[in-house]
Amino acid sequence: MNKINEYLIKNNYDYFLLPNTDEFFGEYLHPNDQKIKFICGFTGSNATIIFGKESNYFFTDGRYILQAQQQLDNSQYHIIDIAKKNILQWLTENVKEHQSLAIDPKLISKNFCKKISTNIEKIIYLTNNPIDQIYNNTQQIVRNYSKSYELPKAISGASFQEKINMILPKISADAMLITSPLNLNWLLNIRGSDLPNTPLFLCRGILFKDGKLTLFANQSINNSQVEVLPLAKFYEYFSQNIDKISSLQLDFNQCNLATTLVLDKLKIDYTHLDDPIDGIKTIKNFAEINGAKNAHLHDGVAVVKFLYWLENSWQNNIEIDEISAQEKLLSFRKNNDHFIENSFETISAFAENGAIIHYKSQSDTNKKFNKNSLYLIDSGGQYFGKNFMGTTDITRTLAIGSPTHDMIENYTLVLKGHINLARVKFPKGSTGSQLDALARVHLWNCQKDYQHGTGHGVGSFLSVHEGPCGISRYNNHALAKGMILSNEPGFYLENHYGIRLENLMVVDEFDDNFMCFETLSLVPFEPNLIDFRMITYPEQKWLANYHLDIINKISDYLNCQEKEWFVKKYIFL
Amino acid sequence: MNKINEYLIKNNYDYFLLPNTDEFFGEYLHPNDQKIKFICGFTGSNATIIFGKESNYFFTDGRYILQAQQQLDNSQYHIIDIAKKNILQWLTENVKEHQSLAIDPKLISKNFCKKISTNIEKIIYLTNNPIDQIYNNTQQIVRNYSKSYELPKAISGASFQEKINMILPKISADAMLITSPLNLNWLLNIRGSDLPNTPLFLCRGILFKDGKLTLFANQSINNSQVEVLPLAKFYEYFSQNIDKISSLQLDFNQCNLATTLVLDKLKIDYTHLDDPIDGIKTIKNFAEINGAKNAHLHDGVAVVKFLYWLENSWQNNIEIDEISAQEKLLSFRKNNDHFIENSFETISAFAENGAIIHYKSQSDTNKKFNKNSLYLIDSGGQYFGKNFMGTTDITRTLAIGSPTHDMIENYTLVLKGHINLARVKFPKGSTGSQLDALARVHLWNCQKDYQHGTGHGVGSFLSVHEGPCGISRYNNHALAKGMILSNEPGFYLENHYGIRLENLMVVDEFDDNFMCFETLSLVPFEPNLIDFRMITYPEQKWLANYHLDIINKISDYLNCQEKEWFVKKYIFL
């Protein structure tokens, strides 16, 4: 029995639901907001705990089941795979009519609450989260909110006012609530460093229909149209300004229940609107695309230098392991003045670890490169320079020693899928769900597949995972000029190896009726893993042109040995 | 001003909406039910007229705009392309608040009525359709309802009782209304010939939760579980049997408003349920698949003989035109005792007529084969023999004289798409919308496409177009073992020629995780239109195996010359 169980008994609540999120529902959490890690030691991203008076239920997805079994005290937690039983199903089946469920309204979206409300009558809205209360923030670090910085228009490509003008036509109420810090950072052309991996400052905002913005943030902003109030004052703002706002639009998926409870109490009329910034921000402008190209040039140089280093180290019998390899890659990136940080936690996975899709090498799993196998490295950077900004994300799979015939065949199938998608032209209005199979069909025809999407949207010096566009079976958002997406088919042989080949691409118009992708990433594919008998002429042509394009762009940044190695290995392959 | 305009003025109705349908909402209409053809001369399938007191509005889709302009009296009808303005939009914009819209509740589905009711207050439900009234059925023919016939279990593969047992678990009300004659013909294992192209008898039914069926039809049925009442008694049945039915399930998309008005009046509680037979009927059983294979064997023989005849006739300078060619093909089909009728109206289109997707050759459009071009023929048969039944649908495109380089390139692109789909293996649970792009990608990469779906479901000796499965951008119904679908990519060059290559395929399980298609149609592709430099090794292998499979199966039915020609042309191509 832990302290939360005792808390439930004492207060006579039957259950307490704790998702792994903060009140902004973003992808990355500040250490102080990692309540689940704090209470049970779990370090994965997807987790929800339902505490009962006696038993606790830990929900995660297939990627993390093994990790949860290792990290959790199994006498305290029942681990449940959400693919087999999701949280809504579990609640419906287990919370009896007379029983109560306590939640922290700051950590629950309005939409999730609507869903659970249909099945559960007694929902207790807690004012203070028991995790913070009980553990009295013993491990909390002092939180310094970062100083934010402005993006000049040459980098952002559009001024605050130009962005406001794109959004205002979507506002029909007195004001629109913007709860996503990503969307506000985009709108204000400002960035910060409040969270790891994503260069943003935390904030919320209310955009009035006259174009004025009230921002809740822990720093001042140099913008006469913006009134800045402390972030902590957000929830009390409405009662003090009830004359200004009689109707409000907000996104029920992105707005927490704590906010709508305030609105309910004040009888402020509010309606759901998908945050229109999502759809606008996903279309990158000329400056953003140029910024991305610049970032990919710098990133490509770092990764190519890493590839050269890796091949030489292996050939010279220098000991390498997953962690030393990823640190080496980070050091190549850090050689560049414009590199800010990794855009996500690097996946550096040798041999069988490569088959774990969201693997993170840790001291107890860190593998030495001590046999013939494949090495998968998935990493990316946030770049910010005088004239550009951009976010990268790239995965390459390399042969360590001699690859087997199977490895070569599977690498070639994945590469054929990657090229099939990279070079396709498609009618305007096509969606990611229509194109997804193109990256899979060569694998499918050998009865193989991969259990993840083919591509995700990517932000401009924002989150490396950005909706609403994507390339997967389920993404029905039409692709449009200026979207940046990943192209990352893979193949995973459990207990043996993993293959994933990922580039970023930007959607472009090919002619009046057709769209195409332009590949942004500048890192070659591994010729030793390609069975050229399986490659068609158009595929080979694409590959040759791609490698030529890379060397043309990056050669100025390579030294003599690196250049010679690149040309010999990738051009005269 | 026509008589309907006068009728509206006399009755003071502002508008009258007339769709081109009967009360069963099927694909084919009995001549007596072709009210639109009768009143304005239009012979296409997609049409709705909104009559006003002074002006009339004729709605159809892009395929038929030209035809409507030719067939209608343009002083009486404004022709509107539904892609530019659909009927709901038109009604919303044009029917003013105080104005009334008259409809025939027998010809409007419950769902369509729900949609128009949100915008139009005054809807007049007519008891008699003014078309019938005014024209006093002058052109009506005496309607003889056909004698229906039973399918033995060896042909249907499942008895009436076995089918009932599959449906009963879906019924939670007192009874389920079955308004689709196709679904009742399937359920009863009975066929008729009340309509052209589809071998069915018209009927409606009420299936009670105890498995008893009350059938409304104009003939008796040899089945002790079935009570048969005259079709005309359907609407009055409920008031006489109100004690038996207090709740009813019905499909709002398939049930007309006339029925629900009766239920409303009697206060019978009814709810929407997608007709469960749609989803069950689409999965063909072993006997049905074998029947389809048998039908395709007979059909393949007829089409191959036709191809031989056509090539010889052209080479011997015998005059051929679209109508004589399609009649010749029909005569080859009729040589087979099991051939019942065409499964749809044949599209026999030479040169530029081939670019009209739903072309029907008529005396004034009938083209002679008098130049080098392509000939597209899309046709199919309904087959019924002692031990089998089946429905076929096949399209081939042939070179008449010498094809141009462009024709060969485009034919090859279409064929590559056809083969890409025909040979794909795909994970279980995949949908038609996921596979659709595989048939298009080679065209797309040359900035070409076709403006229709890639494949439709096909009935077993029922309608050649059968939902809910299909292969198109929008079809999200999971593909399952036993579904029969067409594979028909195309390419259309306006004013020049059309290419479409269509086979039927049945979905099969490949292994525990993957599905595949087995091609049913047995007609070779045109080697003179294939650029073999564009064909990959797996594509060529598929094509060679396909042609070998055809000759193995049909050679017994060919004469000596036909056999020699086939082997020389398609095997040693």
Side-chain angles (χ1 to χ4, degrees):
Chain A
M1 181 160 302
N2 66 28
K3 289 193 181 172
I4 303 292
N5 304 129
E6 288 164 18
Y7 164 89
L8 292 176
I9 293 167
K10 189 178 141 207
N11 289 281
N12 197 26
Y13 302 149
D14 293 292
Y15 296 102
F16 169 57
L17 184 141
L18 180 71
N20 194 30
T21 184
D22 62 13
E23 56 185 305
F24 299 102
F25 304 133
E27 189 172 354
Y28 301 99
L29 293 176
H30 186 272
N32 284 7
D33 289 321
Q34 295 175 359
K35 293 186 170 63
I36 285 194
K37 180 178 170 195
F38 178 68
I39 202 160
C40 71
F42 179 75
T43 56
S45 62
N46 187 354
T48 297
I49 306 179
I50 299 176
F51 296 92
K53 284 177 177 169
E54 285 160 10
S55 306
N56 307 310
Y57 304 87
F58 181 96
F59 296 82
T60 189
D61 64 60
R63 297 173 297 173
Y64 292 121
I65 293 293
L66 222 107
Q67 183 177 334
Q69 285 165 353
Q70 289 163 355
Q71 295 182 325
L72 298 184
D73 174 353
N74 286 273
S75 72
Q76 282 208 32
Y77 295 94
H78 300 274
I79 297 167
I80 299 172
D81 184 339
I82 52 168
K84 289 171 190 152
K85 174 109 27 192
N86 70 36
I87 293 150
L88 279 178
Q89 289 171 325
W90 191 94
L91 290 171
T92 306
E93 291 171 20
N94 290 279
V95 182
K96 304 285 179 301
E97 214 174 317
H98 59 279
Q99 290 187 318
S100 58
L101 174 71
I103 58 171
D104 177 348
K106 289 194 176 167
L107 307 186
I108 302 279
S109 75
K110 172 69 179 168
N111 251 357
F112 187 79
C113 181
K114 277 179 80 170
K115 282 180 198 157
I116 60 175
S117 301
T118 59
N119 291 311
I120 300 170
E121 273 175 63
K122 283 198 217 164
I123 299 180
I124 314 289
Y125 305 132
L126 303 176
T127 316
N128 295 302
N129 193 304
I131 310 286
D132 299 338
Q133 264 183 291
I134 293 165
Y135 289 86
N136 201 20
N137 300 338
T138 45
Q139 295 185 13
Q140 301 262 347
I141 54 177
V142 177
R143 186 157 182 173
N144 288 316
Y145 283 93
S146 62
K147 183 84 192 80
S148 63
Y149 47 100
E150 283 180 50
L151 310 176
K153 190 174 163 181
I155 292 182
S156 71
S159 68
F160 171 73
Q161 191 54 50
E162 285 164 346
K163 290 179 175 181
I164 288 282
N165 292 344
M166 289 192 271
I167 302 162
L168 287 185
K170 314 273 181 177
I171 307 182
S172 53
D174 288 341
M176 179 177 93
L177 186 63
I178 306 174
T179 45
S180 157
L182 290 162
N183 287 356
L184 278 167
N185 277 253
W186 171 85
L187 176 62
L188 289 160
N189 291 323
I190 294 179
R191 297 292 188 273
S193 54
D194 284 351
L195 294 182
N197 303 126
T198 309
L200 56 74
F201 74 102
L202 291 171
C203 54
R204 284 161 184 270
I206 300 170
L207 178 59
F208 290 86
K209 64 180 172 195
D210 63 1
K212 295 228 169 78
L213 179 71
T214 296
L215 187 74
F216 300 87
N218 292 331
Q219 51 206 299
S220 62
I221 301 290
N222 179 21
N223 186 323
S224 61
Q225 264 181 270
V226 181
E227 169 195 34
V228 184
L229 299 173
L231 188 50
K233 298 282 177 196
F234 172 72
Y235 293 102
E236 59 203 64
Y237 174 84
F238 295 98
S239 64
Q240 290 157 7
N241 292 273
I242 191 134
D243 51 318
K244 280 199 203 158
I245 304 173
S246 68
S247 65
L248 192 66
Q249 286 174 314
L250 50 91
D251 188 327
F252 285 10
N253 293 308
Q254 298 188 15
C255 179
N256 66 9
L257 185 63
T259 304
T260 59
L261 287 175
V262 169
L263 301 175
D264 287 337
K265 203 175 152 195
L266 297 170
K267 298 208 166 79
I268 293 175
D269 183 36
Y270 60 90
T271 50
H272 167 77
L273 177 77
D274 283 338
D275 189 335
I277 297 176
D278 288 338
I280 297 169
K281 168 168 115 274
T282 193
I283 309 278
K284 273 68 182 172
N285 60 40
F286 186 75
E288 288 173 316
I289 293 169
N290 264 344
K293 287 182 181 172
N294 216 330
H296 278 90
L297 175 64
H298 295 302
D299 204 57
V301 170
V303 180
V304 167
K305 282 176 181 284
F306 168 75
L307 295 185
Y308 176 73
W309 167 84
L310 186 69
E311 195 166 305
N312 268 278
S313 302
W314 168 262
Q315 277 166 6
N316 293 313
N317 296 314
I318 294 169
E319 200 169 87
I320 320 167
D321 58 41
E322 292 168 345
I323 292 179
S324 70
Q326 82 181 58
E327 280 171 358
K328 189 72 188 174
L329 174 55
L330 182 61
S331 76
F332 280 118
R333 283 202 168 101
K334 280 184 174 167
N335 282 341
N336 189 301
D337 290 343
H338 312 307
F339 175 75
I340 305 294
E341 60 183 332
N342 282 330
S343 57
F344 57 96
E345 287 197 82
T346 299
I347 299 171
S348 172
F350 182 65
E352 56 263 47
N353 285 342
I356 303 166
I357 293 175
H358 282 254
Y359 176 71
K360 183 190 167 188
S361 187
Q362 283 169 315
S363 53
D364 56 338
T365 65
N366 185 17
K367 268 194 183 303
K368 288 204 175 89
F369 293 9
N370 56 6
K371 59 178 174 181
N372 291 334
S373 192
L374 298 183
Y375 171 55
L376 182 156
I377 181 150
D378 185 351
S379 66
Q382 298 284 6
Y383 289 85
F384 180 65
K386 236 185 174 161
N387 302 305
F388 79 100
M389 62 174 180
T391 304
T392 70
D393 183 359
I394 186 157
T395 312
R396 285 297 180 271
T397 305
L398 307 161
I400 301 297
S402 304
T404 64
H405 176 76
D406 265 15
M407 290 171 185
I408 293 172
E409 183 176 321
N410 290 325
Y411 183 99
T412 308
L413 291 171
V414 174
L415 180 63
K416 283 170 73 79
H418 180 98
I419 296 174
N420 210 16
L421 185 61
R423 62 181 284 270
V424 70
K425 300 185 191 92
F426 51 97
K428 288 189 178 174
S430 296
T431 64
S433 64
Q434 286 180 274
L435 303 187
D436 182 61
L438 300 178
R440 300 181 191 269
V441 62
H442 298 292
L443 284 162
W444 281 357
N445 281 336
C446 298
Q447 297 102 260
K448 291 165 186 172
D449 200 5
Y450 47 94
Q451 300 307 318
H452 56 72
T454 298
H456 56 82
V458 178
S460 276
F461 195 46
L462 280 173
S463 182
V464 75
H465 298 124
E466 182 181 278
C469 67
I471 300 170
S472 78
R473 173 167 174 181
Y474 302 104
N475 195 302
N476 288 315
H477 197 85
L479 296 168
K481 180 182 159 95
M483 289 176 175
I484 296 180
L485 294 137
S486 71
N487 170 0
E488 47 179 313
F491 176 70
Y492 308 93
L493 194 60
E494 216 182 316
N495 299 320
H496 288 84
Y497 58 82
I499 296 165
R500 185 163 61 251
L501 301 177
E502 176 186 26
N503 279 346
L504 299 193
M505 324 180 287
V506 56
V507 180
D508 202 357
E509 279 177 0
F510 185 83
D511 63 16
D512 283 352
N513 302 309
F514 281 81
M515 319 280 289
C516 62
F517 295 115
E518 179 184 354
T519 292
L520 297 171
S521 309
L522 294 172
V523 177
F525 292 100
E526 179 53 55
N528 296 328
L529 287 170
I530 302 173
D531 182 345
F532 282 94
R533 294 167 305 176
M534 292 164 63
I535 297 284
T536 64
Y537 174 69
E539 289 162 355
Q540 187 146 7
K541 206 169 92 179
W542 184 92
L543 195 64
N545 285 338
Y546 179 54
H547 286 183
L548 270 176
D549 186 45
I550 295 170
I551 193 63
N552 280 335
K553 285 180 175 151
I554 69 168
S555 66
D556 286 353
Y557 303 88
L558 301 184
N559 66 32
C560 198
Q561 288 81 17
E562 288 163 344
K563 249 186 268 190
E564 197 186 323
W565 163 82
F566 189 105
V567 171
K568 198 170 158 194
K569 175 160 185 179
Y570 299 109
I571 305 297
F572 299 122
L573 51 91
Chain B
M1 183 162 297
N2 66 27
K3 289 192 180 173
I4 303 292
N5 304 127
E6 288 165 16
Y7 163 89
L8 291 176
I9 291 167
K10 191 176 141 208
N11 288 279
N12 196 26
Y13 302 149
D14 293 292
Y15 296 102
F16 169 57
L17 184 141
L18 180 70
N20 195 30
T21 184
D22 62 13
E23 57 186 303
F24 299 101
F25 305 132
E27 190 173 353
Y28 301 100
L29 294 176
H30 186 273
N32 284 7
D33 290 321
Q34 297 174 358
K35 292 185 172 63
I36 285 195
K37 180 178 169 193
F38 177 67
I39 201 161
C40 72
F42 178 75
T43 56
S45 61
N46 186 355
T48 297
I49 304 179
I50 299 176
F51 296 93
K53 284 177 176 168
E54 285 161 11
S55 305
N56 307 309
Y57 305 88
F58 182 96
F59 297 82
T60 189
D61 63 60
R63 298 173 296 173
Y64 291 121
I65 293 292
L66 220 109
Q67 184 177 334
Q69 284 164 353
Q70 288 163 356
Q71 293 181 328
L72 297 184
D73 175 352
N74 286 275
S75 72
Q76 282 208 31
Y77 295 94
H78 302 273
I79 298 167
I80 297 171
D81 185 339
I82 51 168
K84 290 173 189 152
K85 174 109 29 191
N86 71 36
I87 293 151
L88 279 179
Q89 288 171 324
W90 191 93
L91 289 170
T92 306
E93 292 171 18
N94 289 279
V95 181
K96 304 284 179 302
E97 214 174 318
H98 59 278
Q99 291 188 317
S100 60
L101 173 73
I103 58 169
D104 178 347
K106 290 193 174 168
L107 306 186
I108 303 279
S109 75
K110 172 69 178 165
N111 252 356
F112 186 78
C113 182
K114 277 179 79 171
K115 281 180 200 158
I116 59 174
S117 300
T118 59
N119 290 312
I120 300 169
E121 273 175 62
K122 285 197 216 166
I123 299 179
I124 314 290
Y125 306 132
L126 303 176
T127 317
N128 295 302
N129 193 303
I131 311 286
D132 299 338
Q133 263 183 292
I134 293 165
Y135 289 87
N136 203 17
N137 299 338
T138 45
Q139 295 184 16
Q140 301 262 347
I141 55 178
V142 178
R143 187 158 182 172
N144 288 315
Y145 285 92
S146 62
K147 183 84 192 79
S148 64
Y149 48 100
E150 283 179 48
L151 310 177
K153 189 174 162 181
I155 292 182
S156 71
S159 69
F160 171 73
Q161 192 55 51
E162 286 164 344
K163 291 180 174 181
I164 287 282
N165 291 345
M166 290 191 269
I167 302 162
L168 287 186
K170 315 273 182 178
I171 306 183
S172 54
D174 289 342
M176 179 178 91
L177 186 63
I178 307 174
T179 44
S180 157
L182 290 162
N183 287 356
L184 278 165
N185 278 251
W186 171 86
L187 175 62
L188 289 158
N189 291 323
I190 294 179
R191 297 291 187 274
S193 53
D194 284 351
L195 294 183
N197 303 124
T198 309
L200 58 73
F201 74 102
L202 290 170
C203 54
R204 284 159 184 272
I206 300 170
L207 178 59
F208 291 86
K209 63 180 173 196
D210 64 1
K212 294 225 170 84
L213 179 71
T214 296
L215 187 74
F216 302 87
N218 292 330
Q219 51 206 298
S220 62
I221 302 290
N222 180 23
N223 184 325
S224 62
Q225 263 180 271
V226 181
E227 170 195 34
V228 184
L229 300 174
L231 188 51
K233 298 282 178 194
F234 171 72
Y235 294 102
E236 60 203 65
Y237 174 84
F238 295 98
S239 64
Q240 291 156 9
N241 292 272
I242 191 135
D243 52 317
K244 281 197 204 161
I245 305 174
S246 69
S247 65
L248 193 64
Q249 285 173 314
L250 50 90
D251 189 327
F252 285 9
N253 293 308
Q254 298 187 16
C255 178
N256 65 11
L257 184 65
T259 304
T260 59
L261 287 175
V262 168
L263 300 176
D264 288 336
K265 203 174 152 194
L266 297 170
K267 299 208 166 77
I268 294 173
D269 182 37
Y270 60 91
T271 50
H272 167 78
L273 177 78
D274 283 337
D275 189 334
I277 298 176
D278 288 336
I280 297 168
K281 171 169 114 268
T282 192
I283 309 277
K284 273 67 183 173
N285 60 40
F286 186 76
E288 288 172 316
I289 293 169
N290 264 344
K293 288 182 180 174
N294 217 328
H296 278 90
L297 175 65
H298 295 301
D299 204 57
V301 170
V303 180
V304 168
K305 283 176 180 283
F306 168 75
L307 295 185
Y308 176 73
W309 167 85
L310 186 68
E311 192 165 309
N312 268 278
S313 300
W314 167 261
Q315 277 165 6
N316 293 312
N317 297 313
I318 292 167
E319 198 168 89
I320 320 167
D321 58 43
E322 292 167 345
I323 293 178
S324 70
Q326 80 179 60
E327 279 172 359
K328 189 71 188 177
L329 174 56
L330 182 60
S331 76
F332 279 117
R333 284 202 168 99
K334 280 184 173 167
N335 281 343
N336 188 300
D337 289 344
H338 312 307
F339 176 75
I340 304 295
E341 61 184 330
N342 283 330
S343 57
F344 57 96
E345 286 196 82
T346 299
I347 298 170
S348 172
F350 181 66
E352 55 264 48
N353 286 342
I356 303 167
I357 294 176
H358 283 255
Y359 176 71
K360 184 189 167 188
S361 187
Q362 283 170 314
S363 54
D364 55 337
T365 64
N366 185 17
K367 269 194 182 302
K368 289 204 175 89
F369 294 9
N370 56 6
K371 57 177 175 184
N372 291 335
S373 193
L374 299 182
Y375 171 54
L376 182 157
I377 181 150
D378 184 351
S379 66
Q382 298 284 7
Y383 289 85
F384 181 65
K386 238 186 174 162
N387 302 305
F388 79 100
M389 62 174 180
T391 303
T392 70
D393 183 358
I394 186 159
T395 311
R396 284 296 180 270
T397 305
L398 308 161
I400 301 297
S402 304
T404 64
H405 175 75
D406 265 14
M407 291 171 183
I408 292 172
E409 182 176 322
N410 290 325
Y411 184 100
T412 308
L413 291 172
V414 174
L415 180 62
K416 282 171 75 78
H418 180 99
I419 295 174
N420 210 17
L421 186 60
R423 62 181 285 270
V424 71
K425 300 184 191 93
F426 51 96
K428 287 188 180 177
S430 297
T431 64
S433 63
Q434 287 180 271
L435 303 187
D436 182 61
L438 300 178
R440 300 182 192 268
V441 62
H442 299 290
L443 285 162
W444 282 357
N445 282 336
C446 299
Q447 298 102 262
K448 291 165 185 172
D449 199 5
Y450 48 94
Q451 301 307 319
H452 56 72
T454 299
H456 56 82
V458 178
S460 275
F461 196 45
L462 279 173
S463 181
V464 75
H465 298 124
E466 183 181 278
C469 66
I471 300 170
S472 78
R473 171 166 176 180
Y474 303 103
N475 195 303
N476 289 314
H477 197 85
L479 296 168
K481 181 182 157 97
M483 289 176 176
I484 296 180
L485 294 138
S486 70
N487 169 0
E488 47 178 313
F491 176 72
Y492 308 93
L493 193 62
E494 218 184 315
N495 299 319
H496 288 86
Y497 58 83
I499 296 165
R500 186 163 60 251
L501 301 177
E502 177 186 26
N503 278 347
L504 299 192
M505 325 181 286
V506 58
V507 180
D508 202 357
E509 279 176 0
F510 185 83
D511 63 16
D512 283 352
N513 301 310
F514 280 82
M515 320 279 290
C516 62
F517 295 115
E518 180 184 355
T519 292
L520 297 171
S521 308
L522 294 171
V523 177
F525 293 98
E526 180 53 54
N528 296 328
L529 286 170
I530 302 172
D531 181 345
F532 283 94
R533 294 167 305 176
M534 293 164 61
I535 297 283
T536 64
Y537 175 69
E539 288 163 355
Q540 188 147 8
K541 207 167 94 179
W542 183 92
L543 194 65
N545 286 339
Y546 179 54
H547 286 183
L548 270 175
D549 186 48
I550 296 170
I551 193 64
N552 280 336
K553 285 179 175 150
I554 70 168
S555 66
D556 286 353
Y557 303 89
L558 300 184
N559 65 33
C560 199
Q561 290 80 19
E562 288 163 343
K563 250 186 269 192
E564 199 186 320
W565 162 82
F566 189 105
V567 170
K568 198 171 156 191
K569 175 161 185 177
Y570 300 109
I571 305 297
F572 300 121
L573 51 93

